[in-house]
Amino acid sequence: MQVPAQRLSVDLRDYPDLVVVLLGFRVRRMRGLAALLGIGRGLAMIRKDRPDGLLADEQMLFGLTHIGIRQYWRDLESLEAFTKIAPHIHWWRTYLKDSGGTGFWHESYRARGGMEAIYIDMPGPVGFGRFAPPLKPEGPFLSARGRLDPMTA
């Protein structure tokens, strides 16, 4: 006997400013395994003490050495506020000094329009980088807000 598939959708009308972020972390060298464990502890802290505006998050596995996280934020302001406090700000500053044998990337998508990405020490292109020309994150493109909407940065 066939059972029809149950189809569902969602009502996002209460989330007009929703921002979806995909993050990836890829091990490039053996020492990157330790960095991978460190980011796992950081993610556990974020789940335990959920920042204001983070609606949901989930982990994904792109490959044995490439993990991902999908986050849903109430709005860009909440996401930006989170990036300026611990633990994120400390991790980000440390990572930019030494990627620890890993690569990192994120892509952001706004319900009101705009998409942006950043790629750091990735061994090859992923996501938008597979088809869009590279752009140095300088000037108005240094911040996610600037890349989402360079006219308002």
Side-chain angles (χ1 to χ4, degrees), residues 26-37:
R26 186 166 186 171
V27 175
R28 294 182 13 239
R29 294 189 198 104
M30 284 301 286
R31 73 184 192 120
L33 292 173
L36 182 63
L37 293 174

Side-chain angles (χ1 to χ4, degrees), residues 74-114:
R74 179 182 57 232
D75 50 43
L76 184 58
E77 292 73 21
S78 298
L79 174 56
E80 286 177 317
F82 167 71
T83 65
K84 294 175 176 140
I85 61 170
H88 183 277
I89 189 72
H90 301 302
W91 176 82
W92 186 244
R93 287 179 181 161
T94 301
Y95 189 80
L96 289 178
K97 289 177 187 171
D98 180 4
S99 64
T102 66
F104 174 81
W105 61 271
H106 86 237
E107 295 180 350
S108 304
Y109 316 89
R110 270 198 317 195
R112 291 198 186 264

Side-chain angles (χ1 to χ4, degrees), residues 2-10:
Q2 290 183 339
V3 178
Q6 181 182 7
R7 292 176 58 179
L8 295 174
S9 187
V10 294

Side-chain angles (χ1 to χ4, degrees), residues 19 21 28 41 49 56 69 86 88 91 108-109 131 137-138 145:
V19 177
V21 180
R28 294 182 13 239
R41 285 190 297 274
D49 189 18
I69 301 106
H88 183 277
W91 176 82
S108 304
Y109 316 89
F131 61 88
E138 299 171 341
R145 179 177 290 276

